Amino acid sequence: MSKEAQINLRDTMVTALAEAVRAGVLTEVEAMAACSDACAAIIATMIAEMHHAEALEIVIEKLPKQVKAHADQVAAYRKARSN
């Protein structure tokens, strides 16, 4: 899958989850759980079993950094709005 296709798929998932949260169909926590479930399903079904551990290690390594980056963006947005 090309990098562009990966980005499009990610954006589609994010849009769908964000719309579900805005519509009240999912809570933010349920949306995060859905993302986690999607990662696990991808690892289980699309990655050769011999690479499962490596894939999980990558997810575990990247997730805290991604969450922090997003939290920093939200904090900056809120700070800018309050000024």
Side-chain angles (χ1 to χ4, degrees):
M1 179 183 288
S2 72
K3 186 70 171 174
E4 183 178 345
Q6 291 175 26
I7 290 168
N8 288 337
L9 180 57
R10 180 207 61 204
D11 290 349
T12 299
M13 289 176 60
V14 168
T15 299
L17 289 169
E19 288 174 1
V21 169
R22 277 192 295 276
V25 176
L26 293 175
T27 66
E28 290 90 350
V29 172
E30 290 168 331
M32 288 297 299
C35 288
S36 177
D37 288 347
C39 266
I42 289 166
I43 290 168
T45 62
M46 297 177 67
I47 297 175
E49 192 170 336
M50 69 179 116
H51 300 296
H52 283 190
E54 180 184 1
L56 287 170
E57 287 173 11
I58 291 168
V59 170
I60 290 166
E61 176 188 329
K62 283 183 134 188
L63 189 58
K65 294 173 188 170
Q66 290 171 329
V67 170
K68 183 181 180 332
H70 291 301
D72 291 346
Q73 288 174 341
V74 169
Y77 171 76
R78 287 180 177 161
K79 183 178 180 182
R81 254 188 21 188
S82 69
N83 291 335

